[in-house]
Amino acid sequence: MDDASEWQRDGDTIRRTVVASDFRTAIAIVNEIAEQAEALNHHPDIDIRWRTLHLALTTHDAGGLTDLDYKLAARIDGIVADHQA
């Protein structure tokens, strides 16, 4: 990830926290992430706490980070940006 990214590396995982404007928006973000995750067949760990989403990406079967993690992270960044506009 580049220096401007909201993602932080934690060992073999990249993590990002997103705070949405309200619960409904948080769920809309999760639903859009789910569509992208299905399209890539790569699924993040998502923890929903009211309007705060904790996201984690890793490729378990590869034992660490792969291009899929970064590709999905970029798509998630776009989804989040669309909901913050």
Side-chain angles (χ1 to χ4, degrees):
M1 306 301 322
D2 63 39
D3 292 338
S5 176
E6 299 286 333
W7 294 89
Q8 301 295 316
R9 187 163 180 165
D10 179 15
D12 290 334
T13 303
I14 53 175
R15 299 179 187 280
R16 179 176 180 183
T17 297
V18 174
V19 179
S21 58
D22 54 35
F23 183 71
R24 184 173 296 183
T25 301
I27 296 303
I29 291 169
V30 169
N31 285 336
E32 289 184 39
I33 291 171
E35 292 297 322
Q36 292 301 313
E38 284 294 302
L40 292 173
N41 193 30
H42 191 64
H43 305 91
D45 293 334
I46 303 173
D47 179 19
I48 305 167
R49 306 289 173 118
W50 180 39
R51 62 187 189 110
T52 302
L53 308 174
H54 299 283
L55 307 164
L57 290 166
T58 192
T59 304
H60 299 286
D61 59 352
L65 294 166
T66 66
D67 287 342
L68 275 176
D69 297 301
Y70 294 104
K71 183 181 282 190
L72 184 54
R75 291 185 185 189
I76 290 170
D77 288 345
I79 292 166
V80 171
D82 288 347
H83 285 277
Q84 292 177 338

